[in-house]
Amino acid sequence: MTEPKALHLLLYSTNVKDDELLLRVFKQSELIYEITNSKAKLVDKLKDGVNKLILLATPSLESSLKLYYQCLLEVPDEELCRHAFLVVCAKHEEMQAFNYFQSRVIDDYIVARPLYELHRPITICYAQLEKLGINLHKANLDVPLQPQAQDDISIDVVQEGAERKRKLRGEFESLLDQFDQAIAQADAHLSKEQVSDEDVRLLRLLLQELQQNSFRPNLIRLQHRTLHLLDALLLKLALPEAVTDVAEESEPEPQPDSKPQPPSLQINKEARASRILMVEDDNLAAMMGKKLIEGMGLSFEWAPTGRRALALLQAKKFELILMDINLPDTDGLLIADQLPNMHCINSDTVIAVLTGNKQKSMVQRAVKAGAKHYLIKPLQKDTLVKLCSKYHLQAHH
């Protein structure tokens, strides 16, 4: 008995009749797809370990976003499969869908109500699957050129170009294999405290090759993982015996009553502790933030990616958002810019950018995106106290 082929696309549809034309288009393609209207099935498919597309077709763009991010909250990061999130939208929603696409709130969208471009859904799906390592394009060019085109270009030239692209892709996939092996080896050496200059040299060389490669959409995961590992390797090589202590912040001397009192945190034993969401991809920075925030009697939540942050922002009310800019899956300022348009419970929550970037141009971008404050890492206790005092955050002890 042959095993069933892996699923390429899960279509969540609240009304299959509305999507009949879209389904007919899918049937003419190489896509292996399933249709469901079950939220539980959607959650299961997000954690089944199979790379795929998740396409939501609900009554509105906003309801699709809400459903997806509700499901995302139910799946821990370590169980979440690699996938692309697509939505079906109506013609009048296209502008907002494009804004969400630019902000990486969604990976792409299909205007299918009505569907004007019959083959466009296939090109979108194939392109997104290719980013996930699934290639459904035909290996050979079996469609003849139109007569008028043959005057300018021969079929041999086209086939030669297609073969060259396939060769480049093969070289790229081989490079990825080398990279995975080098990362695994360096990680093993680091855990055994057998770090060498050769580990750093090899990773840097491979990273340089990847950065010059034309298939860059596939590289985010490897580059992000490698840069963190390089930091750890370089630190180990530079300070092999060093132990870093985080000094506790000393309390200021009491001031005379005649001087203005510094901002203080409001403590209310009856009220719920105010929630702060830290959007930060660096584990160490998040741990330090958690220690500081919870130590002040506030409630702390952490999102390591932009999409995890969006899921939390749709589900829980926060009184303050600390937003990093450079996230693995998006730009934090793009999230800040789109949050007011998402009409969720945190559309008006105060956003404070927390970054190591001191450029004036980035400060201007943050202001334009709607951030109220621009903080330079690391987060300081007195800075946080001022923010809490300004926005009347409640601590609970």
Side-chain angles (χ1 to χ4, degrees), residues 305-323:
T305 65
R307 292 217 170 157
R308 184 62 66 183
L310 287 169
L312 287 167
L313 289 168
Q314 300 230 23
K316 296 181 180 180
K317 175 61 182 173
F318 294 92
E319 281 69 45
L320 178 64
I321 302 167
L322 300 174
M323 181 74 71

Side-chain angles (χ1 to χ4, degrees), residues 1 66 94 100 110 148 159 210 267 287 310 340 366:
M1 181 182 293
K66 184 176 181 180
E94 184 177 9
Y100 286 147
I110 297 172
Q148 63 269 25
Q159 288 179 332
L210 281 175
I267 299 176
M287 289 170 60
L310 287 169

